[in-house]
Amino acid sequence: MKKKIIISLITIASTILAFLGIYYFGLPALSGQNFGFLLLIFIILGVVLSLVFMFVEEKVLAWNRKKGRLTYCAHRVNKATGKMEKYESDIENKYKYYPFKIVGLTASVALVFGMIVGVCSTPLFQAKRYAKQLNIEDGTSEEFNEEFKFDGDVLLPILDKELAFKAAQAKLSTYGSQYTIDSTNFTIISVHRDGKDELVRVTPLEYSDIFVSMNKNTHGSIGYIEVNVVTKETKLVEVEGGMKYMPSAIFNYDLNRHIRFHYPSVLYNETYFEIDDEGNPYWVVPTYKNEITLYQGGTPTGTIIVNPVNGDIDRYKLGEEPSWVDRVVEVELMEKQATNALRYKNGFFNTIFGSKKEVFQVSDGYNYFIKNGQTHYVSCITSPNEADQTSIGFLTINLKTKEAKKYMIPGITEMRAREIATLHESVKAQNLDATWPILMNYKGVPTYFLVLKNDVQPCKMVLLDVETGISIAMGDTMDEVKSKYDKLINNSSSSIEDEVKELTSVVKRVQIFGDDIYFMLEGVEDKYFIVEKSVSLDAMFLKEADKVKITYVEYEGYNFVKTLVKVA
């Protein structure tokens, strides 16, 4: 008995130490909605049951002997034949490995339970619930025109995330050996300073390795880098007192450990670095709970805000966070909810079989429209067909209120807009790349704003209409672009019809870009003609030396073809 007590005490102590080690280094959420924690509890339960069995084992053996059960039928593999065979073994051997079997059994029960819950959580069984997680309202054209109106309060980024990150890296300078920056934590936010809004990206200086972290752990990181994505101004901001609570810190200064120790059961995925209007740094941590079974269907519940200098930490319900916070919901979580709402509206099987009625998805990318301190996630709504470059409208999500709206504004996708801009005759030879478009309402016209760039700097600003992508204006300054774009969109449909011209000539050169065909005609060698494949069969199979009769509208830099037929 004394030996068993010693073994039990050692086992209990080892289990407690193992649990504390897993909790300290693994930082699992102590919640029933965290499967890892559930598995750990089942394993501990197995250990406890095995210890209990160890103390009752003698009584179990005595009971078997009283019943005359001195042996039992066991199984083993015959080494000579490789087959399983039966043999008689002493009853004492039957319970020899029971403690290990109990632990294995409880762990297996947890795994089986997790698998069952996982299967039950799939859209096959829960499609309707997934579809209802995000309430998407139908936005009106009046609401779109007002909320996304391009005016003096709208700041458009000239630097995208990639170029801003390169600017931030250059600002590290002599600190490059001690600190590093992470592109995944490079938040775009608006700050209100000196009576006006500024649009900036901010990223904290993380320790470059564990040795730097050990040396500076109690002093903290020197600060953060701020990039104004409108003016391109970049600066390193030193924070008084140092930012001690960081993802790259160690021991109790580790940001995730600090959060977990204060809120052991909270669920969260991402941490966003933000600053308030005075430039004070904070970690903003969106929290969530699972609504579908135990482990799926995450939905926002609020935020945790951590002061990286002194470690002050507070938790807020959704809608009760400080006014300077730009994001209180996790972008990836909302994007997942949006995709489910658009895809599973009519059930799971509708997405696979039959007519696939009203099965849509958000596009492969997204951008933000930031106005009056409100950050809107914006992505076009399209079909699951990857070849489809048309959009039925746009989905917008306010990242502060979770308010989602669907605007039925048909047109081209963001990717198609990028292609049109980069393949435009005036810039095609420069081999420029395009930033992801930002949707806005420009004087009543749904419009994309994007920037053409090379590897080191922005080169051209672009405005083009969402509906067709035909009205496109480029320039070195926003004033220049707006002036050109105004001339294009001010043409009414009647005036455009009056300007339709007719021409018969021979095709000299043909290039195909997606659904558009670019070609030149003899006698008009300074401009490309652009025709959509869908205009006619003659357009679809157009080739050099064809003689064609066309009607077209002149635009700056190119001619848009309205009709095309081949003539003998």
Side-chain angles (χ1 to χ4, degrees), residues 275-293:
I275 59 174
D276 63 14
D277 293 339
E278 285 72 43
N280 300 309
Y282 292 93
W283 290 103
V284 178
V285 187
T287 61
Y288 71 95
K289 66 177 180 180
N290 295 320
E291 290 186 324
I292 299 175
T293 65

Side-chain angles (χ1 to χ4, degrees), residues 385-401:
N385 182 4
E386 292 185 3
D388 187 4
Q389 297 198 47
T390 60
S391 165
I392 67 164
F394 292 89
L395 179 75
T396 69
I397 304 174
N398 188 313
L399 296 182
K400 200 161 188 175
T401 65

Side-chain angles (χ1 to χ4, degrees), residues 416 423-425 428 501-513 515-553 557-567:
R416 178 62 183 143
L423 296 175
H424 194 272
E425 187 62 21
K428 186 171 58 176
K501 297 182 179 181
E502 186 177 302
L503 177 65
T504 301
S505 188
V506 177
V507 177
K508 290 189 62 177
R509 182 182 178 187
V510 178
Q511 288 182 296
I512 300 175
F513 299 106
D515 293 328
D516 291 337
I517 300 172
Y518 289 63
F519 63 94
M520 283 187 172
L521 293 177
E522 289 184 357
V524 188
E525 299 178 357
D526 59 335
K527 287 186 179 181
Y528 265 99
F529 290 82
I530 302 175
V531 62
E532 296 178 353
K533 289 181 180 179
S534 58
V535 164
S536 67
L537 284 175
D538 287 342
M540 187 175 298
F541 297 103
L542 189 68
K543 61 182 183 298
E544 292 182 14
D546 284 344
K547 187 175 182 179
V548 295
K549 180 180 181 180
I550 64 171
T551 61
Y552 65 97
V553 178
Y558 67 97
N559 297 319
F560 179 70
V561 177
K562 298 175 70 67
T563 63
L564 182 150
V565 293
K566 293 182 181 179
V567 295

Side-chain angles (χ1 to χ4, degrees), residues 314-330:
D314 294 291
R315 187 177 181 184
Y316 301 88
K317 292 182 180 179
L318 203 63
E320 297 180 357
E321 68 284 340
S323 59
W324 56 264
V325 178
D326 278 49
R327 300 185 189 183
V328 298
V329 296
E330 183 186 332

